[in-house]
Amino acid sequence: MKKLVCLIGVMMVLVGCTPPPQTLSVVGNTWLGYQPYYAEQVLHPEAIPANIHITMLTSDVSVVRMVANGAAQAALLSLDNALSLQTRTDLKLCIAQVINSSHGADAIYAPPGFDINDRQQPWVVGMEDSALARYLLARWMRLHDIPERQVRREIILPNQHATAYAAGVTDIFVTYAPFSQKLASMGAEQIFSSREIPGEIIDTLVVKQESWQQHQAALKRLTGPVWDKALTAALDPQHTYYQALQTLSGINAEELRQSLASLTLYNSAASRTFLQQDYARVQQQVSEQLVASGIHQVITPLPICEGVL
């Protein structure tokens, strides 16, 4: 365990480092579903294809910025974030992998006693400046007939939610695992989650199409045998990878168990099945909600990378 903590400490120091030239850079935030990749990078970096570098960043904002400015060629993103990025830019992304679907891991929390019917004053909503946070908030508001004037958004990074909650100046937090577990441990209560919008929040690996063509063999290895091995190990409570997820997330074993129960993680075979059978429907559904929520007027589709199926 001591070795594990030291290795992860090294990884944290290296977060944000520029990969060598000719390397395909994959970036993602601290979302629990992505962490088998990070654990693999820490514990068995030799298993990662030599021309691929995976970096964990603190927020979706940082991830989107790095892809948009060309510092990264691939990203771990929720589908709504990926569609938003595809729509706002001319990056020409494609989807290489479906990593997980969320069944409660993305959620809205409030202090005990929060009354959704008490609308005398606007609520201060702490949230990341991302398409996913805006999407989740918009879905909650639409489903509960909450008018726009009732919320006042305040941009707070997920790793600062606990501090803001302790300060008591924010009414509601739009968050996700593992940060939601910290809020819950402080007494916050879940008032809405992705469980109420089943099938709408999935997480993906998206790649610039040009980069996919250049690195297709390495990416197929990454999303196939490398991912499957890391995922199997990460779901085993007795395995070092499970301990790595605890350390990366900053939560204990029971909190990790609860978090993992709130999402479905896909191995490579399940990812291909999802892309074949469900992706078109889910992409259409999420696109319609992004438009209905006022986030975009029209959505640019995100195709499946050539050769994935």
Side-chain angles (χ1 to χ4, degrees), residues 101-286:
S101 58
S102 175
H103 306 290
D106 297 88
I108 298 177
Y109 279 78
F114 174 81
D115 184 358
I116 195 172
N117 296 311
D118 182 2
R119 304 182 182 182
Q120 297 182 39
Q121 299 292 331
W123 303 319
V124 178
V125 180
M127 57 189 288
E128 185 177 11
D129 185 18
S130 71
L132 175 58
R134 293 193 296 272
Y135 182 92
L136 195 65
L137 179 64
R139 294 295 284 123
W140 175 62
M141 292 174 65
R142 290 188 68 206
L143 288 173
H144 293 276
D145 296 320
I146 298 169
E148 182 64 31
R149 65 178 181 275
Q150 188 58 43
V151 301
R152 180 165 65 83
R153 296 165 180 80
E154 182 173 332
I155 304 305
I156 305 175
L157 290 176
N159 61 359
Q160 298 172 2
H161 285 181
T163 301
Y165 180 82
V169 295
T170 307
D171 299 303
I172 299 168
F173 291 88
V174 183
T175 189
Y176 55 84
F179 304 107
S180 52
Q181 276 61 42
K182 182 63 175 177
L183 289 175
S185 71
M186 298 172 70
E189 297 178 348
Q190 186 182 105
I191 60 173
F192 182 76
S193 81
S194 51
R195 191 175 293 107
E196 297 182 51
I197 48 173
E200 291 189 29
I201 297 182
I202 65 170
D203 285 274
T204 68
L205 171 62
V206 296
V207 187
K208 293 180 180 179
Q209 293 182 33
E210 181 181 8
S211 298
W212 171 261
Q213 294 299 328
Q214 295 172 353
H215 300 276
Q216 184 173 158
L219 282 164
K220 283 186 174 181
R221 179 182 160 202
L222 179 73
T223 59
V226 173
W227 170 256
D228 287 345
K229 169 181 169 290
L231 178 60
T232 299
L235 295 177
D236 179 359
Q238 305 305 316
H239 204 285
T240 307
Y241 279 58
Y242 196 86
Q243 299 170 16
L245 264 61
Q246 290 181 58
T247 305
L248 287 165
S249 303
I251 56 180
N252 61 38
E254 177 57 23
E255 290 170 334
L256 177 57
R257 185 194 66 78
Q258 294 176 6
S259 296
L260 289 171
S262 63
L263 66 157
T264 300
L265 286 152
Y266 299 119
N267 61 21
S268 59
S271 172
R272 287 192 298 273
T273 298
F274 186 99
L275 289 170
Q276 288 175 325
Q277 299 180 2
D278 300 314
Y279 177 64
R281 172 184 55 80
V282 172
Q283 178 181 213
Q284 180 64 30
Q285 183 179 22
V286 173

Side-chain angles (χ1 to χ4, degrees), residues 7-77:
L7 283 169
I8 290 178
V10 171
M11 180 182 177
M12 295 306 183
V13 171
L14 293 176
V15 164
C17 290
T18 303
Q22 307 306 316
T23 295
L24 183 138
S25 178
V26 181
V27 292
N29 69 6
T30 54
W31 168 245
L32 181 60
Y34 308 150
Q35 291 187 14
Y37 270 138
Y38 305 145
E40 185 75 9
Q41 179 89 70
V42 171
L43 298 174
H44 288 287
E46 74 283 355
I48 305 292
N51 57 337
I52 293 179
H53 181 83
I54 303 174
T55 303
M56 183 175 72
L57 303 176
T58 57
S59 69
D60 278 335
V61 175
S62 300
V63 172
V64 169
R65 183 182 299 119
M66 284 193 68
V67 178
N69 67 20
Q73 297 75 44
L76 299 159
L77 285 170

